[in-house]
Amino acid sequence: MKETLAYYICSMNKEIVVSGIRSTGYLHLGNYFGAIQNYVLMQENYECYFFVADYHALTTHPDPKLLKANVYRVVAENIASGLDPNKVALYAQSDIPEIPELYLMLNMLAYKGELEKVPTFKEKVRSQPDNVNAGLLTYPVLMAADILIQRAVKVPVGKDQEQHLEMARNFANRFNTRYGQEFFPEPQVFRFNQSAVKIMSLDGNGKMSKSENVNATIYLSDDDDTIRKKIMKAKTDSGPTEHNSVMPDYIQNLFLLMDLTAKPGIADTFRSQFNNCTIRFGDMKKQLAEDMVAFVRPIREHAANLQADETAIKKILKDGAEKARAGASKTIEGARKLIGINYY
Ligand code: TYM
């Protein structure tokens, strides 16, 4: 209770931030550099709400026996990456009943045509034609509810979520227009260094993701040897034959990972070698593998220790839900009144 009070006092008058991560698998470098790194930087100066999107995970029908462990792991990996549950509200989406209530309200303002056009929905229709459920179609509405329930103005997410954010702004504006009040602010994508970090899969096929090629994805839980093996197998080629050639995107991705994890100057040395055609990708990958091992190891070890203490994680989730419900219940009360659900 003391911690919760301290949280309220520190968070007075700060801008509100919301973001979430689905509990569908192991967190990877894309989640870390695309999202969590920004969370950690924001926790000092903003009123932050970070959650495990377990309702969103239900769209792909996860095994009920695995759900709790998945949620606990996401919490542990966020904390091991530097998030401090005393500074932010860290909670499970399903612990906030106000979210599905707002989702229902917003669904009345979301149109089938616009939802069917969302690229992530179209992609799911292609990849899982046997499970095109209504939850998938209305995924952006639930995401808008997650954000608007706290009346957040800033949302740290990777590039792949930008279209969802635009829809959240549309739903917010539609609600405000229909009910005649600037009730919801427009949430904006936020990143510390402005440019979006998009981590590609190490096989060069699209973005690094929780469910695609596991051998081309580096997870925060990977052991040292697994990391080395994955990096050494990353896609490269025989190297440039002309000075200052354009870098293929899979090589750019390796340089990006090096920029993010190696000591300053190391990536530049390899960049010069690329530009004068003397680069040996085997050497570059060996260097990257060691830097990546050194980067992931403390996160993995810390997360494993945290996960071993279930009682502590339970308490973090409960405290987080209490913090998040304080604002959420006020939003729902206001939304009900504006809609006219105000009978007693
Ligand atoms: P999810 O769980 O797929 O990913 C969590 C965060 O990681 C970012 N990310 C990446 N960034 C860079 N490169 C990559 N390869 C990469 N892969 C993932 C994502 O952009 C995201 O920021 N719908 C969301 C979860 C969500 C949410 C929300 C986010 C639900 N409600 C409300 C913000 C606000 C999702 O599936 O993220």
Side-chain angles (χ1 to χ4, degrees):
M1 195 59 207
K2 232 164 63 199
E3 279 164 8
T4 312
L5 191 62
Y7 173 81
Y8 288 130
I9 293 167
C10 304
S11 60
M12 278 191 297
N13 299 325
K14 289 178 175 175
E15 281 186 300
I16 299 178
V17 172
V18 164
S19 197
I21 299 184
R22 266 174 311 146
S23 49
T24 37
Y26 290 78
L27 297 193
H28 52 73
L29 294 180
N31 300 131
Y32 183 89
F33 291 114
I36 301 174
Q37 194 179 43
N38 277 304
Y39 301 176
V40 174
L41 289 168
M42 293 182 99
Q43 65 184 340
E44 303 296 338
N45 299 316
Y46 296 88
E47 179 180 336
C48 294
Y49 297 86
F50 297 128
F51 64 96
V52 187
D54 53 345
Y55 277 149
H56 277 96
L58 297 186
T59 51
T60 48
H61 302 168
D63 182 344
K65 289 196 281 301
L66 301 180
L67 207 57
K68 179 177 169 187
N70 282 346
V71 170
Y72 276 39
R73 180 165 7 85
V74 175
V75 170
E77 289 182 334
N78 269 283
I79 298 172
S81 301
L83 215 57
D84 180 347
N86 293 317
K87 292 185 181 153
V88 306
L90 184 55
Y91 53 100
Q93 185 184 29
S94 59
D95 275 336
I96 317 298
E98 292 81 5
I99 292 176
E101 185 168 348
L102 183 58
Y103 167 60
L104 182 143
M105 293 170 177
L106 296 176
N107 265 323
M108 310 306 166
L109 304 174
Y111 296 99
K112 180 172 162 272
E114 66 182 337
L115 295 171
E116 279 171 345
K117 277 195 218 125
V118 177
T120 43
F121 176 69
K122 289 204 217 152
E123 170 50 32
K124 289 283 180 201
V125 172
R126 262 195 303 274
S127 64
Q128 50 178 72
D130 297 334
N131 181 22
V132 183
N133 57 60
L136 274 180
L137 182 69
T138 57
Y139 188 106
V141 189
L142 181 54
M143 204 166 141
D146 296 328
I147 298 166
L148 300 180
I149 199 71
Q150 300 296 348
R151 295 199 247 185
V153 290
K154 288 195 162 64
V155 185
V157 281
K159 200 157 180 52
D160 58 320
Q161 300 295 320
E162 284 183 358
Q163 166 113 35
H164 290 153
L165 252 270
E166 196 183 322
M167 297 190 75
R169 285 192 288 277
N170 290 343
F171 299 141
N173 284 329
R174 237 174 257 170
F175 186 98
N176 293 346
T177 306
R178 172 150 302 272
Y179 298 110
Q181 209 183 89
E182 286 303 299
F183 185 64
F184 290 118
E186 278 195 2
Q188 307 291 340
V189 172
F190 182 81
R191 290 181 201 103
F192 259 88
N193 55 4
Q194 296 308 318
S195 67
V197 173
K198 181 182 165 196
I199 307 293
M200 278 184 71
S201 176
L202 297 178
D203 58 12
N205 287 326
K207 66 165 190 165
M208 194 172 276
S209 91
K210 293 188 199 115
S211 47
E212 300 294 316
N213 187 355
V214 294
N215 295 320
T217 301
I218 299 205
Y219 298 100
L220 300 180
S221 53
D222 277 344
D223 62 41
D224 295 356
D225 278 347
T226 307
I227 295 172
R228 287 191 185 100
K229 272 189 208 130
K230 287 180 178 177
I231 300 250
M232 292 316 288
K233 280 198 189 134
K235 178 171 177 177
T236 50
D237 50 33
S238 51
T241 50
E242 278 177 36
H243 281 213
N244 303 317
S245 299
V246 177
M247 262 185 211
D249 54 5
Y250 49 88
I251 301 292
Q252 269 179 44
N253 192 46
L254 296 183
F255 273 103
L256 171 62
L257 291 175
M258 200 169 233
D259 282 330
L260 292 167
T261 53
K263 290 200 181 77
I266 293 188
D268 286 340
T269 306
F270 285 101
R271 235 178 231 115
S272 312
Q273 292 174 2
F274 181 92
N275 287 334
N276 63 26
C277 307
T278 57
I279 191 157
R280 285 160 36 153
F281 287 127
D283 292 346
M284 181 186 174
K285 289 199 276 191
K286 260 189 215 144
Q287 174 71 47
L288 178 59
E290 291 318 308
D291 288 326
M292 194 57 78
V293 163
F295 176 79
V296 172
R297 189 189 289 143
I299 299 178
R300 177 187 69 229
E301 289 177 353
H302 189 184
N305 288 337
L306 290 165
Q307 260 172 276
D309 189 352
E310 268 207 18
T311 316
I313 297 200
K314 205 181 290 172
K315 180 166 180 343
I316 289 165
L317 283 173
K318 288 212 157 149
D319 290 349
E322 194 186 326
K323 291 174 195 167
R325 287 199 69 188
S329 59
K330 285 198 192 107
T331 304
I332 279 296
E333 202 184 308
R336 280 174 153 247
K337 273 200 188 124
L338 286 173
I339 290 173
I341 305 173
N342 190 18
Y343 310 142
Y344 308 108

